[in-house]
Amino acid sequence: MVAIARRHVILLLAFGLLAIFRPDVANAGGCWTAPYSCHPGGDINPSTAATYEARYMAYAELAWRDFIALNFPAEITPQGKLEPTPSKEHGLDYHAGDYSAVWQTWPEARDIFLPGAAVPAGFGTGHQAPADCLRKDASGRLELTDKIVLDEYVQADRMGPVIDKQGQYVRYGLSFSKPMFDYITAHQLYSTEGQAAMDTNNPDRDKQTVQFPAGQYSANDNPAMTGSIFVKSSWKILDASDNKSSFYRSQAYVYDQAGGAFADEPTVKEQCSLKPIGLVGFHIVHLTRSAPQWVWATFEHVDNGPWLNDFTSTLKRGYTFFDAAKCPASGGVPSCAFDTVPAAPWNPQRPGQTPTQLVRLAAPGKLALAVNEQYNNRIKTTYPDSVWANYFLVDVQFPTNVKTAGGGQGAAVPNPAYPDGMPATSFLSNSTMETYIPGFFHGEITPSGNPIPPDDQMQTLPSTGAVMPFSSAGPHTVSGGADRTTSSCVSCHSDAAMTTGSSSDFVFSLSRAQSKGKLNLSTSSTQADGGSGARILTRHEASSVVEYVMGTRKPEEPTGK
Amino acid sequence: MIKISRRDVLKTAGTIGGALLAPGLPLWSLAEAAPREKAPAGFVNVSSALLGIDAGVLNPAIRPDDISMADVFYGLTVLAGPRSIANLLAAYDVMENQHLRPDQIAQALLVSGNGPNTSLNGAFSRLITLMWLYGTWYGHTEITNIPTSASGIAADYQKDFVISSRAYKSGWIWRVAQTHPMGFSQFSFGSWASAPPSLADYGITLA
């Protein structure tokens, strides 16, 4: 009897301790009890029905799961250091939306592709900040910081900056998940030498030797199966006039490189300061087994600007990048020029610059709106005061035509006939990151005077009424438009290449890799050119030019910097 | 009798395509008026028979933006000649019920004796084939070649026009030729240095 009683006591103690330390009990506010996992998904369920709506909804839900998981607060050690894992104590309502999210612990492009191809610091150990931002430690090495460094302000395609109502430029950041970081470091792809080694058996550079790890579906969101993700974020610098409580907020080093984003604007002086920032846009790019062209999703803050449709009724909001007082509706359209590229010079330090009058042209697709409705309701139910209720999925882009070995259950590979995967949606843009890339709209006419056919239009009927980003009842987008000439994530990134010239698996950043010898477009070549003066650019050189023109790549930094 | 196969049609279409795709063709000015309805299976199947391309490949269940070119093209034919397209689909149904092979159906619709089928079924078969190949409606060209076709084509559609940029990019002639349309390419920089994808990758099997 005594022995049995002791056993009962031990069992009770064991179960009691288990209950106390079970994550979902012990951490009531943390990700484990949220309505969503705090880990990104790995892929859509392979058993998803082979219909457009089912696939679309599955990818849109994957995007939302990723968005929520990545934006959970990062774990903080007792010493106050950020860890690259989701907090077990805090949820999406943590600190009124002013914190550091998991993805902010990921290395940024500037942490990986270092001058002189230096070996990157370990994953999650902090960010390399410019000398102007931080002091050197005792060993002479620049201290790492847990604050992200925002050093870009010109949009892709070199379209220019976006300027908020206070005259501040929107800032951009680019971060990479651990599977990507591990792959890059394992193969030394942060250096041109490592990239050349990758292509040793690819002399014609016509094979894609880079194969980032793809995520795989698991019913329990196994974090080991997440696969590769990279994110691009856009931020506004907050000041006293902003409605801060509506934004996800953080602190970042806002850095201007001397000479500007492309080292071609001498009026920009080197400058760095720690500033409060609010998230206005967020791209998530996720490689999965079902989507070898990656899954591209983008989110926005609801107050960035009005939709063009909204001018057919009364504007109901104050906007971050649109001043209705200076541009009231007239005849159902804005009375001012909108989405206009700011005048040069593009210098964020220049006072008195004209704010961008940002008008959203493309509304989310109907199915995106349906998923927004579902997730927004769940966020509001679980976290009534969360800032994340102010963000919506603009849309998602995924391949519709791939080859799958083994009858549909295996990993998909690109169909050589459709290397872009024939993506749907064919048009995808974020108003803060691809502001100046238009589509075609109902009512527009071609230069020859013909109306744009419906299957080329961005916006379907009804053409009036305000867009409701969390409801599928309002006007929505058909996501049409002409690929490449407008905005297709996949079509653009399919040209990304390593410094060797071979494909870099849709990741432009690999062309930022440096070596001790600098790339010189006028003389360097990875292929024999017969020594003649005139020759064809290698793929990498073309990609470098594209990146330079697109504003996704900076010129090589001066030696010693 | 000269047997005209689908291959002949495609080859001929490819040869004359450059001339037909005259620069400056307008866009479909009445596109907004087209019925937004699902193309009947008969339209997809007769298209498949005429082109020799599997119906599931022509009109896949999962497609960019969920826009079916079959729906777009069918909507156009309903405006261009409602009775003509209805008669064509009825004729197709009869032949299908007779268990004729797709190539036999195509032959019957496209050929009459030693020349082309000059009936309205022939006219709409050619127009449908060319829509799929070029994303272009060749009403004027059809009437120029066979004036009697005008009786089955509405006045607004007795001209040539590009149906849409999406229809142009989706033109099957580019895939038959294992290339890409002018002004748009799904291939990457430098792709011309490699062999083109196989016709099988496009889902194309020519007779």
Side-chain angles (χ1 to χ4, degrees):
Chain A
M1 285 295 290
V2 174
I4 293 172
R6 281 179 181 164
R7 181 180 296 173
H8 284 171
V9 170
I10 292 169
L11 283 172
L12 282 170
L13 278 173
F15 279 117
L17 286 171
L18 190 63
I20 290 170
F21 289 106
R22 253 179 58 193
D24 59 347
V25 174
N27 309 295
C31 64
W32 306 106
T33 54
Y36 321 104
S37 167
C38 59
H39 296 297
D43 197 356
I44 63 170
N45 190 330
S47 63
T48 301
T51 66
Y52 181 83
E53 181 167 336
R55 292 292 174 92
Y56 184 103
M57 297 290 274
Y59 282 115
E61 290 185 4
L62 176 66
W64 260 110
R65 288 171 57 195
D66 287 355
F67 181 69
I68 288 173
L70 299 182
N71 282 300
F72 261 96
E75 186 73 283
I76 304 175
T77 67
Q79 293 74 35
K81 182 181 178 305
L82 290 175
E83 291 289 313
T85 54
S87 170
K88 295 184 178 62
E89 298 175 352
H90 306 300
L92 292 176
D93 56 350
Y94 177 54
H95 209 249
D98 187 353
Y99 59 83
S100 290
V102 170
W103 67 267
Q104 288 171 261
T105 67
W106 295 359
E108 300 181 270
R110 58 175 299 111
D111 298 324
I112 298 174
F113 305 101
L114 297 165
V119 178
F123 184 84
T125 55
H127 302 294
Q128 303 268 352
D132 260 26
C133 304
L134 296 177
R135 291 176 301 185
K136 292 179 180 176
D137 63 18
S139 65
R141 186 183 176 100
L142 286 174
E143 294 173 334
L144 297 179
T145 173
D146 59 5
K147 305 289 189 297
I148 58 174
V149 180
L150 302 177
D151 60 356
E152 299 186 12
Y153 52 81
V154 177
Q155 297 190 352
D157 213 12
R158 208 172 179 183
M159 284 288 186
V162 173
I163 305 175
D164 65 23
K165 286 193 294 189
Q166 293 88 348
Q168 299 276 9
Y169 280 27
V170 169
R171 305 291 176 142
Y172 305 104
L174 190 60
S175 304
F176 300 88
S177 70
K178 190 170 190 303
M180 289 191 77
F181 177 82
D182 288 347
Y183 186 87
I184 290 169
T185 52
H187 295 88
Q188 299 185 25
L189 298 179
Y190 52 79
S191 70
T192 56
E193 291 81 1
Q195 295 185 3
M198 197 80 173
D199 270 345
T200 299
N201 297 317
N202 187 25
D204 292 335
R205 311 303 193 220
D206 57 346
K207 307 288 189 303
Q208 181 186 304
T209 53
V210 176
Q211 302 281 346
F212 283 107
Q216 186 172 352
Y217 175 78
S218 68
N220 59 352
D221 291 334
N222 181 352
M225 299 168 78
T226 297
S228 300
I229 298 176
F230 63 97
V231 299
K232 183 173 183 179
S233 56
S234 59
W235 305 83
K236 88 175 293 296
I237 297 170
L238 297 173
D239 68 17
S241 64
D242 287 308
N243 176 20
K244 296 187 184 65
S245 63
S246 80
F247 294 100
Y248 167 64
R249 306 179 302 285
S250 201
Q251 300 265 324
Y253 287 104
V254 176
Y255 176 63
D256 298 335
Q257 178 177 291
F262 299 100
D264 60 356
E265 182 42 64
T267 63
V268 181
K269 308 302 179 192
E270 185 170 33
Q271 184 173 296
C272 185
S273 56
L274 189 63
K275 292 188 175 176
I277 51 174
L279 188 71
V280 291
F282 198 67
H283 286 338
I284 302 175
V285 191
H286 194 165
L287 179 62
T288 74
R289 281 164 61 94
S290 71
Q293 290 87 358
W294 305 64
V295 181
W296 306 75
T298 191
F299 292 79
E300 281 193 29
H301 191 278
V302 69
D303 290 337
N304 284 347
W307 275 279
L308 192 57
N309 270 51
D310 296 351
F311 289 86
T312 59
S313 55
T314 305
L315 298 181
K316 295 175 181 174
R317 293 176 175 277
Y319 297 101
T320 304
F321 304 105
F322 184 83
D323 189 342
K326 295 181 178 175
C327 187
S330 174
V333 295
S335 57
C336 67
F338 55 89
D339 296 346
T340 303
V341 179
W346 294 336
N347 179 352
Q349 301 158 359
R350 193 160 58 94
Q353 296 187 68
T354 303
T356 305
Q357 289 286 40
L358 188 154
V359 175
R360 290 167 165 140
L361 301 179
K366 189 176 181 67
L367 297 175
L369 292 174
V371 180
N372 282 343
E373 192 170 35
Q374 171 195 345
Y375 275 77
N376 188 253
N377 286 338
R378 290 165 71 178
I379 289 174
K380 285 178 176 171
T381 301
T382 311
Y383 302 112
D385 299 322
S386 171
V387 295
W388 297 109
N390 298 321
Y391 293 86
F392 65 93
L393 173 69
V394 178
D395 232 318
V396 65
Q397 190 179 55
F398 59 93
T400 67
N401 189 317
V402 294
K403 281 188 161 183
T404 307
Q409 294 299 310
V413 297
N415 181 341
Y418 305 108
D420 64 352
M422 301 183 78
T425 60
S426 63
F427 182 102
L428 182 58
S429 69
N430 185 297
S431 72
T432 65
M433 290 190 255
E434 294 88 17
T435 309
Y436 309 109
I437 304 175
F440 301 132
F441 290 87
H442 174 79
E444 287 189 317
I445 58 171
T446 67
S448 57
N450 290 310
I452 303 294
D455 59 297
D456 284 341
Q457 290 174 13
M458 293 298 302
Q459 211 151 330
T460 56
L461 299 174
S463 58
T464 60
V467 174
M468 295 175 283
F470 303 117
S471 168
S472 55
H476 57 273
T477 294
V478 69
S479 304
D483 318 47
R484 283 196 185 261
T485 52
T486 54
S487 183
S488 168
C489 313
V490 168
S491 297
C492 175
H493 280 256
S494 64
D495 279 335
M498 291 199 297
T499 54
T500 60
S502 68
S503 168
S504 58
D505 200 3
F506 295 88
V507 181
F508 274 118
S509 297
L510 290 188
S511 68
R512 301 186 189 206
Q514 295 189 20
S515 69
K516 290 180 181 176
K518 301 294 183 186
L519 173 70
N520 183 336
L521 285 180
S522 64
T523 58
S524 72
S525 174
T526 54
Q527 298 175 342
D529 60 9
S532 66
R535 63 179 179 78
I536 298 171
L537 289 180
T538 67
R539 179 174 174 148
H540 164 64
E541 289 166 350
S543 178
S544 298
V545 173
V546 168
E547 274 229 290
Y548 177 80
V549 172
M550 292 179 59
T552 52
R553 180 176 187 270
K554 293 179 176 181
E556 309 269 54
E557 293 184 3
T559 303
K561 184 169 172 60
Chain B
M1 173 182 169
I2 300 171
K3 184 177 180 183
I4 301 176
S5 68
R6 285 171 300 184
R7 181 192 290 271
D8 294 326
V9 172
L10 295 177
K11 284 171 65 178
T12 305
T15 304
I16 64 175
L20 286 174
L21 275 175
L25 275 187
L27 275 172
W28 181 15
S29 60
L30 299 176
E32 295 276 5
R36 292 170 181 268
E37 60 182 89
K38 189 176 173 63
F43 181 84
V44 180
N45 290 337
V46 75
S47 298
S48 171
L50 290 166
L51 290 151
I53 299 171
D54 185 79
V57 176
L58 273 184
N59 195 35
I62 304 175
R63 56 235 171 174
D65 308 326
D66 203 24
I67 291 177
S68 159
M69 296 319 299
D71 294 353
V72 174
F73 295 159
Y74 175 70
L76 193 159
T77 60
V78 168
L79 289 179
R83 181 167 295 181
S84 301
I85 186 64
N87 288 341
L88 173 61
L89 296 186
Y92 173 80
D93 281 345
V94 169
M95 288 187 278
E96 191 179 41
N97 290 334
Q98 293 170 343
H99 304 294
L100 295 183
R101 294 192 315 270
D103 62 311
Q104 291 175 317
I105 293 174
Q107 186 78 7
L109 290 174
L110 292 168
V111 180
S112 178
N114 290 330
N117 181 354
T118 57
S119 73
L120 288 178
N121 280 352
F124 268 70
S125 294
R126 282 185 293 277
L127 289 166
I128 290 170
T129 303
L130 292 172
M131 272 200 294
W132 282 105
L133 286 174
Y134 296 108
T136 301
W137 176 261
Y138 286 112
H140 176 73
T141 301
E142 169 66 24
I143 294 169
T144 302
N145 292 333
I146 304 173
T148 55
S149 295
S151 65
I153 303 174
D156 286 332
Y157 291 84
Q158 295 184 3
K159 54 190 174 186
D160 297 346
F161 54 81
V162 176
I163 295 163
S164 66
S165 67
R166 186 183 294 267
Y168 168 76
K169 286 188 305 178
S170 304
W172 278 89
I173 193 65
W174 314 117
R175 296 177 243 199
V176 171
Q178 294 165 280
T179 182
H180 60 83
M182 291 166 282
F184 171 82
S185 173
Q186 69 271 35
F187 302 113
S188 299
F189 180 86
S191 61
W192 55 81
S194 304
S198 69
L199 287 175
D201 288 330
Y202 289 107
I204 296 172
T205 50
L206 291 178

